[in-house]
Amino acid sequence: MRLISLRNSAECIAFLLVAGVAVFADDYSPDGTITLEPIIVRGRQEDLIGEATSASQGRTGQNELDKRPLLRTGEVMELVPGLIITQHSGTGKANQYFLRGFNLDHGTDFSVNLDGVPLNLPTHGHGQGYLDLNFLIPELIDYVDYKKGPYYAEIGDFSSAGGADIHYYDKLPMGFAKLGVGENQFLRGVVGNSHPLGRGHLLYAVDSQYDNGPWQVPENYRKFSGVLRYSCGNRDSGNALTAMGYSGQWNSTDQIPERAVDQGIINRLGSLDPSDGGETSRLGFSADAWTEDGRTKSKANLFLQYYRLNLWSNFTYFLDDPVHGDQFEQQDQRIVAGGSAEKTWRSDFLAGMSENTIGLQVRHDNIPNVALKHTEGRTVIDTVREDRVKESTAGLYVKNSTQWFAKVRSILGLRGDGYLFDVHSNIAENSGTARDRILSPKMTLILGPWAETEFYANGGYGFHSNDARGTTIKVDPTTKEAADPVSPLVRSKGAEAGIRTSVIPHFQSTLSLWILDLDSELLFTGDAGTTEPSRPSRRNGVEWANFYRPISWLTFDGDIAFTHAEFTDQAPEGNEVPGALERVASAGVAVNSGQGIFGSFRLRYFGGRPLTEDNSVRSQSSTICNFQMGYQTRRLFNVTLDILNIFDSPDHDIDYYYTSRLQGEPMEGIEDIHFHPVEPRTVRIYVSSRF
């Protein structure tokens, strides 16, 4: 949704001015009064029978998030069963995501919104659909709605594997202040509260963090996030204005070759280019309005964002330039504007209700600078390519939800998306325009409930967009050889059968079997400035998610997923999809009575995966356990101990297999596994108070 980058005093002033404007927002009540809803503390939703439209859809929230010790902010998304969050670079860079057999890179096929504002960035300097969640303040998250598969008309680009909607509080249940200290000079302070103001409530929060990490090159990660929100009304009718800001700076220890560790050149926490790193900032504003009565429901939002990233990386060391090295800088600067509107009409039909929905989503990315430059020690040597891009999108969708009989309901949807790309490149031949459109039908059938059990059948088409620069490319910016443009939009299609049951008291279980085809995995490779060709693929798997609360202060959860991924054409190099995750498991137990001792223990496992198409090179599996214990007084004062990677696992966060060259090695380089280790055991202590 909304983000901001408080880089100087002028932006700080602008941030506060927007908050001031919010004070004058109109309330929906003519007499100036508002009706507040009861405060709900959400954990994993125990019963979505009659509400969910697939077995892989769910809701989870702050009550469960509060029980999870987090190493990184992005790990809030591991609330989604089967989703793995890792990192191959510095903390300030977008995480690496794995879900349903996809190595999603930095977000290509997993869509995330924050209160209706899309967060994935198309035609990004580093990767298509780049999804940086470091700006989030976890304590502000009210709940997360997640959906997997391309079955939902309201989700468009980047959602073949699924999507999630993060919702911040409009009004905090209580104010809070938290201070955390830990190893490696970790320091975090966060404070938030909400107060009645005029006809509504003003919510504010500030989050500041510093961390050097365990790396030989100190990470020197500095983060600042701020949020202001003014909201009026209640769940049935209201509006809100929000401003958010974020800035981050860091040094990176990127993935390293195994041979460098084996030969004693560096240790597993070392770096081959200490000047790698990045800096990023965001500034954003949004306005939301919603209303609902017995027969109609409407919602709308508008958003405006400014975003900037400068990222320095070196993955091949001295392969391409034996003298200066292969470091490159990726630049991205943009303004994003857009909005959405949706209206639903309800009417009586047979044994139940029928709903018709129409929605519109529009977005324009004005990108005056997206560039790839060859650098040494963050100093520019030459420009590989530099572009100005304008990308406009519009999505229109309709859907009908009908209760045909007491135990039968259906959802039919149709989505249409149109894209317009306009590229101006420093390489004249690569300038041009492109456009494309795509229709995506969706279908869902739900049977039940019988004995607190429902059955689901889902099918639908989805897509992800390709980088605009790839749609107009004619010349490789490095070799100057001819290059073929790619299709702007890539089709996906999937189906799923599942079951959801709450027949055992206090126990929820979902089981789903799914299949997903992708026409092509063509992606623009930001590291090279070119389009990387790939092949059509198929993924299928099974997921089983469970949540059990036998008594009010004790919860258990356990999720497992198995996936098979392969290219569907035949090729001599093999048919395995490199990086496709095959096995995932997570489990946890939490104790929290509201006061006194509380704690949790969590395990996360993701298995080995092919790193080459012939499966001759595979990654390691990884198992990480985190522990939390604390004490809460009657006056809501907490002391919490987090031990991350409690058993000090030496596993890898991520593995790649490619060619790189160290100084003194053959000019053609050496193929090797390149890995980023999980961070060693880390201890952090938090002191917090609620008021």
Side-chain angles (χ1 to χ4, degrees):
M1 166 169 132
R2 7 331 200 174
L3 324 164
I4 335 184
S5 113
L6 305 180
R7 292 178 53 80
N8 52 49
S9 58
E11 291 183 4
C12 291
I13 293 171
F15 182 78
L16 295 174
L17 285 176
V18 171
V21 172
V23 174
F24 298 99
D26 290 332
D27 185 20
Y28 277 76
S29 176
D31 62 1
T33 62
I34 60 174
T35 302
L36 296 178
E37 293 188 313
I39 298 298
I40 301 173
V41 180
R42 293 182 174 92
R44 185 179 295 193
Q45 192 83 342
E46 287 192 41
D47 188 3
L48 288 177
I49 300 293
E51 299 179 31
T53 59
S54 75
S56 57
Q57 178 183 356
R59 171 175 289 184
T60 186
Q62 184 62 227
N63 199 37
E64 185 173 352
L65 181 60
D66 197 44
K67 303 182 183 79
R68 293 176 176 242
L70 301 178
L71 176 65
R72 312 177 182 99
T73 302
E75 290 178 2
V76 299
M77 294 312 300
E78 289 191 351
L79 290 170
V80 179
L83 180 61
I84 295 294
I85 308 297
T86 68
Q87 182 58 271
H88 75 99
S89 186
T91 302
K93 186 178 177 182
N95 295 112
Q96 201 88 6
Y97 305 92
F98 292 86
L99 180 68
R100 287 200 160 182
F102 280 93
N103 177 349
L104 296 163
D105 193 43
H106 298 291
T108 307
D109 284 288
F110 187 72
S111 169
V112 177
N113 293 339
L114 177 56
D115 288 317
V117 178
L119 301 181
N120 299 73
L121 298 176
T123 310
H124 187 271
H126 184 69
Q128 178 69 343
Y130 190 81
L131 177 62
D132 182 2
L133 300 177
N134 286 297
F135 72 92
L136 290 174
I137 301 178
E139 290 81 2
L140 295 187
I141 295 176
D142 184 9
Y143 61 98
V144 178
D145 285 325
Y146 58 86
K147 303 170 182 176
K148 301 179 192 175
Y151 324 124
Y152 313 96
E154 63 272 19
I155 308 180
D157 203 357
F158 308 124
S159 62
S160 294
D165 293 306
I166 303 172
H167 295 269
Y168 271 178
Y169 287 105
D170 289 322
K171 175 182 179 296
L172 288 168
M174 302 185 73
F176 66 89
K178 178 187 288 188
L179 177 65
V181 296
E183 294 180 276
N184 307 310
Q185 297 180 313
F186 173 83
L187 180 64
R188 180 178 183 239
V190 56
V191 61
N193 204 355
S194 52
H195 299 284
L197 182 63
R199 298 176 177 179
H201 278 82
L202 180 67
L203 178 149
Y204 62 84
V206 175
D207 183 1
S208 184
Q209 180 177 323
Y210 180 84
D211 188 12
N212 261 334
W215 319 107
Q216 282 194 332
V217 176
E219 190 168 30
N220 195 24
Y221 176 51
R222 291 151 286 165
K223 165 187 172 179
F224 176 82
S225 293
V227 176
L228 277 175
R229 171 176 290 180
Y230 184 77
S231 60
C232 299
N234 54 37
R235 184 175 299 178
D236 293 336
S237 184
N239 54 34
L241 293 175
T242 305
M244 292 191 178
Y246 165 65
S247 66
Q249 297 177 331
W250 66 95
N251 299 320
S252 292
T253 295
D254 294 334
Q255 69 261 20
I256 53 177
E258 282 192 339
R259 65 185 186 277
V261 178
D262 294 341
Q263 295 170 17
I265 298 173
I266 56 174
N267 68 26
R268 62 190 302 272
L269 301 176
S271 172
L272 290 171
D273 193 334
S275 63
D276 289 349
E279 54 186 40
T280 187
S281 57
R282 292 176 181 252
L283 173 70
F285 310 95
S286 68
D288 301 270
W290 61 93
T291 182
E292 180 175 4
D293 57 31
R295 293 293 175 177
T296 64
K297 178 171 62 174
S298 303
K299 61 180 180 180
N301 81 320
L302 296 172
F303 59 88
L304 178 67
Q305 301 183 46
Y306 167 80
Y307 169 85
R308 183 189 63 84
L309 173 72
N310 295 82
L311 183 66
W312 293 270
S313 307
N314 187 349
F315 301 138
T316 53
Y317 319 116
F318 292 92
L319 179 66
D320 298 322
D321 188 335
V323 177
H324 301 287
D326 298 348
Q327 188 187 72
F328 54 89
E329 179 187 6
Q330 292 164 317
Q331 300 175 350
D332 192 289
Q333 183 180 11
R334 70 180 67 205
I335 295 175
V336 186
S340 65
E342 181 184 275
K343 189 173 182 67
T344 299
W345 297 267
R346 298 170 179 165
S347 60
D348 295 328
F349 184 82
L350 296 178
M353 183 78 68
S354 181
E355 292 186 347
N356 292 292
T357 299
I358 183 169
L360 175 67
Q361 298 162 347
V362 295
R363 171 175 177 167
H364 178 73
D365 288 64
N366 183 7
I367 313 171
N369 179 42
V370 56
L372 175 65
K373 300 182 178 182
H374 181 200
T375 59
E376 181 181 14
R378 300 196 185 187
T379 300
V380 175
I381 298 175
D382 61 75
T383 297
V384 179
R385 71 175 297 171
E386 191 167 14
D387 302 88
R388 291 182 290 114
V389 179
K390 294 181 180 179
E391 181 170 337
S392 301
T393 69
L396 178 67
Y397 60 92
V398 293
K399 65 178 179 178
N400 169 267
S401 177
T402 298
Q403 187 82 45
W404 295 95
F405 304 104
K407 305 292 185 180
V408 180
R409 56 190 172 106
S410 67
I411 301 173
L412 298 176
L414 180 64
R415 182 182 180 93
D417 289 272
Y419 280 69
L420 177 62
F421 307 97
D422 185 3
V423 179
H424 295 268
S425 178
N426 66 325
I427 303 173
E429 296 92 330
N430 288 337
S431 299
T433 61
R435 63 183 67 205
D436 203 356
R437 60 185 183 272
I438 194 167
L439 285 176
S440 305
K442 323 278 186 174
M443 183 278 295
T444 292
L445 179 65
I446 303 133
L447 303 178
W450 293 281
E452 296 299 318
T453 302
E454 277 188 335
F455 300 88
Y456 308 89
N458 308 89
Y461 288 76
F463 71 98
H464 76 237
S465 62
N466 272 322
D467 191 296
R469 294 167 291 174
T471 68
T472 62
I473 193 170
K474 296 182 179 64
V475 176
D476 186 298
T478 302
T479 66
K480 309 305 179 185
E481 296 177 353
D484 295 325
V486 301
S487 172
L489 305 178
V490 177
R491 164 75 72 194
S492 63
K493 55 186 176 182
E496 179 176 313
I499 181 174
R500 178 186 305 270
T501 182
S502 299
V503 64
I504 300 174
H506 313 298
F507 178 75
Q508 179 193 4
S509 183
T510 61
L511 178 69
S512 58
L513 297 99
W514 58 272
I515 186 170
L516 181 69
D517 288 350
L518 200 63
D519 282 355
S520 169
E521 302 205 14
L522 280 169
L523 292 175
F524 187 90
T525 306
D527 300 352
T530 59
T531 300
E532 178 182 330
S534 191
R535 301 153 55 189
S537 62
R538 166 168 290 181
R539 293 167 171 82
N540 55 71
V542 57
E543 296 174 328
W544 187 29
N546 303 277
F547 181 77
Y548 182 46
R549 179 183 284 129
I551 49 181
S552 61
W553 50 267
L554 178 63
T555 60
F556 299 90
D557 66 89
D559 312 313
I560 57 174
F562 299 94
T563 302
H564 176 68
E566 63 180 2
F567 293 116
T568 53
D569 59 351
Q570 297 298 315
E573 61 266 29
N575 295 320
E576 298 291 331
V577 179
L581 197 57
E582 298 171 341
R583 299 180 303 279
V584 175
S586 64
V589 57
V591 175
N592 192 343
S593 63
Q595 70 179 57
I597 294 176
F598 62 89
S600 68
F601 180 84
R602 297 206 59 81
L603 177 147
R604 187 196 72 178
Y605 166 85
F606 59 101
R609 51 207 175 276
L611 299 180
T612 58
E613 292 172 330
D614 63 2
N615 204 22
S616 61
V617 182
R618 292 182 59 84
S619 74
Q620 298 182 6
S621 62
S622 175
T623 303
I624 306 296
C625 295
N626 296 331
F627 173 77
Q628 181 184 84
M629 184 176 67
Y631 184 83
Q632 177 172 296
T633 69
R634 292 184 179 180
R635 297 190 178 187
L636 301 180
F637 177 81
N638 285 4
V639 178
T640 306
L641 171 69
D642 287 355
I643 306 179
L644 303 155
N645 190 10
I646 187 172
F647 299 122
D648 202 23
S649 167
D651 292 341
H652 297 175
D653 237 355
I654 198 165
D655 296 281
Y656 303 95
Y657 187 74
Y658 60 85
T659 301
S660 64
R661 178 179 178 271
L662 307 179
Q663 286 183 321
E665 291 184 335
M667 297 299 292
E668 65 272 17
I670 296 175
E671 290 185 326
D672 196 4
I673 291 178
H674 297 70
F675 72 96
H676 193 266
V678 300
E679 295 197 19
R681 180 171 47 237
T682 302
V683 178
R684 295 175 180 174
I685 298 175
Y686 293 90
V687 177
S688 62
S689 176
R690 296 187 180 273
F691 45 86

